[in-house]
Amino acid sequence: AESGAELGADQAAALRGVLTSGAFLEVICAPAGTGKSFTVGVIADAWHHPTEARRVFGLAPTQAVTELLAGDGLTAANLAAWTATQHRLGTGPASATDEPWRLRGGDLVVVDEAEMATTAHLLAVAQRCAAAGAKLLLVGDPAQLSAVGPGGAFADLAQRAPRYELAEVRRFTQAWEGPASLRLRERDVDVLADYATHGRLVAVDGGGGGTVERAGDQAARNWLADTLSGKQALLLCDTNTTAARLNMHLRDELVRLHHVESQGVGLTTHGGVAGVGDLVQARRIAWHLRGFEGNSYAPINRHTYRVQATRTDGALVVARVLGRDADGDEIVAAPIVLPADYVADHVALGYASTQHAALGRTVDTAHTVIDPATTSPASLYAGLSRGREGNWAYVTTRAVSPEAETGETLDVHPVTAHAVLAGILDPDTDEQIPDRNSSALTYQEAAAEQAKSTPTFLDPLIDDAATLVHAARISAVLDRLAAQGVLPAERRAELAADQDCTRALAQLLRTVELAGHD
């Protein structure tokens, strides 16, 4: 009751439902910025009851999100570690540290960012919960980035299981941006006009012409301006290759501005060097480094760190970046030492990163590089929903092949940023076919439905009939030309003998005919 006064109507409905339904499995769908973490924390507080031994466990697909759950007061583990612990508990031998994780009736297991969990992980959690009599709560957003690997189970469950929807966006400081983000999530192309009106769509064009590199450079400049003014900002892109280029570009600029030392330790992961003052990102969890040379914590995949010192053997002294205070000053944890072998293989510059690194994060501003060849609706939505104060999309307006020759982009007609993003949100694809992140069950149902459709039967028949009719027409024309002496008899005989050649010629002539020629 005390917490209810702080909750919105949508959050209160989710709280009441989860606490009172008695269902084994339930889903909370939480679009970006709707207060998911707060809601989960309130549910966990209400569920937990020391005298009745009701416990709450938080699970997540990544260690970064796991630590966010721990910060909300949940006993938390990442899915891979939890699955391994459950296996030891089921088969033995289990250690004393494993035993507290043994599930029992009355427990609540919360899987956060469940859209990023693989189907295998969700199945393992559901089976363990069912066997122990524990309740399973899946929290996430099927419209956001999905699992790296076989996934789609959360999207299926969001359609079939008891479900609560957090509908009020609370993250943004500007009133228009919350409703706009929900429309963007639903792939409403008309909402792009709102983003354009407020200056959030940056069309990159000019000398060189709207390439991904130029869009990235513009995004990097604005990210740097925000960062130097004391804001917590994200610079996001689709690929590690683009991120690596932007990272080295920004490092050069920071060296020029005397914010970073030019000399540093070489990095193998994505190239470049890291010197004192650089922002770096860990790319692998290394639990064994907790305690190494007195380290109070271990490096976590996708966490960012500020370089405090370099060593001649290639090691780095770094401190995890926790955020910024009210004055815009950076807050960092205690320094730790990363040995040379870890630095060489598992550390990258951390100024720019891919969308997956932004999972679960809220910052002041976000700058996202858009490439129509690689940006998906989910990554577009993720990039335009991270920042409280503002989110900008830097749009490539001239689409060229990655193998294009230098200067070829100048021969490509530019389009508007609005048109590029409209193409991403509403691609010209068959909507009956699920996307690549759908589950096998969704594919099966879509295929069964498509098999029953009239076009499935009629379209091939129509195509075959049209091919036969057109082939007959072409043969008659060729015979007439041969009889008139326009087409030599030996050429007509060769065409009759080579059906592949005849089909190719028929397609070419049909194209000419459809263009209005005889």
Side-chain angles (χ1 to χ4, degrees):
E2 293 175 358
S3 297
E6 304 171 1
L7 296 175
D10 53 346
Q11 295 171 318
L15 173 63
R16 285 193 299 270
V18 172
L19 295 181
T20 65
S21 70
F24 157 65
L25 185 150
E26 291 180 295
V27 171
I28 294 180
C29 283
T34 52
K36 176 194 65 176
S37 297
F38 176 70
T39 304
V40 169
V42 172
I43 290 172
D45 287 343
W47 186 275
H48 182 72
H49 196 290
T51 61
E52 296 182 15
R54 290 202 306 264
R55 303 176 301 170
V56 181
F57 295 97
L59 307 178
T62 68
Q63 186 61 28
V65 178
T66 298
E67 295 195 357
L68 294 176
L69 287 172
D72 291 330
L74 281 71
T75 300
N78 68 63
L79 280 166
W82 184 87
T83 302
T85 298
Q86 297 302 312
H87 178 74
R88 291 192 297 270
L89 288 170
T91 60
S95 67
T97 55
D98 290 336
E99 192 59 37
W101 293 93
R102 188 184 298 275
L103 295 179
R104 56 177 182 252
D107 287 342
L108 173 65
V109 177
V110 180
V111 181
D112 194 13
E113 303 291 356
E115 74 279 1
M116 286 290 298
T118 64
T119 298
H121 273 144
L122 291 183
L123 176 61
V125 176
Q127 290 174 333
R128 292 285 180 175
C129 290
K135 182 183 180 72
L136 176 58
L137 176 63
L138 304 180
V139 185
D141 182 5
Q144 296 198 51
L145 297 169
S146 57
V148 179
F154 176 75
D156 278 348
L157 290 169
Q159 296 296 323
R160 306 165 197 272
R163 161 179 167 159
Y164 310 98
E165 186 94 24
L166 301 185
E168 182 183 347
V169 180
R170 300 165 171 85
R171 172 173 293 165
F172 307 111
T173 57
Q174 297 196 29
W176 69 271
E177 198 161 4
S181 72
L182 293 178
R183 293 172 60 194
L184 184 68
R185 177 179 180 267
E186 296 299 323
R187 300 174 67 169
D188 180 357
V189 174
D190 293 338
V191 77
L192 295 174
D194 293 349
Y195 283 92
T197 298
H198 291 89
R200 301 299 181 80
L201 307 185
V202 182
V204 181
D205 198 10
T211 61
V212 178
E213 288 76 13
R214 289 182 58 80
D217 291 345
Q218 180 66 50
R221 282 193 294 271
N222 291 347
W223 175 90
L224 183 59
D226 281 351
T227 301
L228 294 180
S229 67
K231 296 182 185 295
Q232 189 176 10
L234 283 176
L235 177 58
L236 302 173
C237 53
D238 292 328
T239 67
N240 285 321
T241 300
T242 301
R245 192 191 71 81
L246 292 175
N247 277 324
M248 286 187 275
H249 169 73
L250 281 167
R251 185 179 195 278
D252 290 343
E253 188 66 13
L254 288 166
V255 169
R256 185 183 70 81
L257 296 172
H258 305 291
H259 286 273
V260 172
E261 290 187 3
S262 59
Q263 300 300 313
V265 171
L267 305 176
T268 304
T269 305
H270 295 297
V273 297
V276 173
D278 266 317
L279 190 67
V280 296
Q281 187 179 87
R283 301 305 296 268
R284 177 171 292 185
I285 298 176
W287 296 118
H288 66 283
L289 293 181
R290 180 186 290 163
F292 174 79
E293 292 198 22
N295 288 348
S296 57
Y297 54 94
I300 301 298
N301 185 36
R302 299 292 188 177
H303 278 178
T304 54
Y305 304 82
R306 187 69 65 184
V307 177
Q308 309 289 309
T310 61
R311 293 185 178 179
T312 56
D313 64 352
L316 291 175
V317 179
V318 302
R320 183 186 168 192
V321 177
L322 302 177
R324 290 182 180 271
D325 60 22
D327 297 324
D329 295 326
E330 190 170 77
I331 305 171
V332 297
I336 61 172
V337 177
L338 302 181
D341 56 348
Y342 181 87
V343 170
D345 296 332
H346 307 302
V347 171
L349 290 170
Y351 303 109
S353 60
T354 61
Q355 302 284 358
H356 285 86
L359 184 67
R361 294 190 63 184
T362 299
V363 295
D364 296 323
T365 61
H367 304 271
T368 302
V369 182
I370 303 298
D371 182 352
T374 57
T375 301
S376 68
S379 58
L380 174 62
Y381 172 53
L384 289 178
S385 60
R386 298 295 99 194
R388 288 180 291 258
E389 299 176 12
N391 302 273
W392 287 265
Y394 300 80
V395 186
T396 302
T397 57
R398 294 180 191 253
V400 295
S401 166
E403 291 79 27
E405 297 291 335
T406 301
E408 187 175 331
T409 182
L410 297 176
D411 298 326
V412 178
H413 182 72
V415 296
T416 65
H418 187 288
V420 173
L421 297 185
I424 292 172
L425 292 178
D426 189 22
D428 185 17
T429 57
D430 183 356
E431 293 298 333
Q432 292 182 331
I433 301 299
D435 64 32
R436 66 180 183 84
N437 294 319
S438 299
S439 70
L441 178 61
T442 301
Y443 272 103
Q444 182 186 45
E445 291 178 344
E449 189 65 29
Q450 189 177 37
K452 296 185 294 184
S453 68
T454 300
T456 299
F457 292 99
L458 288 185
D459 286 354
L461 294 175
I462 294 171
D463 289 343
D464 290 344
T467 300
L468 290 172
V469 170
H470 187 52
R473 289 180 58 219
I474 293 299
S475 293
V477 170
L478 295 177
D479 289 341
R480 185 173 70 251
L481 293 175
Q484 295 171 351
V486 177
L487 180 67
E490 62 271 19
R491 293 284 179 254
R492 179 69 185 98
E494 289 174 357
L495 285 170
D498 189 344
Q499 291 302 304
D500 288 339
C501 181
T502 302
R503 278 192 295 270
L505 178 61
Q507 291 173 358
L508 175 61
L509 293 177
R510 181 58 177 159
T511 301
V512 171
E513 185 178 44
L514 290 174
H517 303 285
D518 184 349

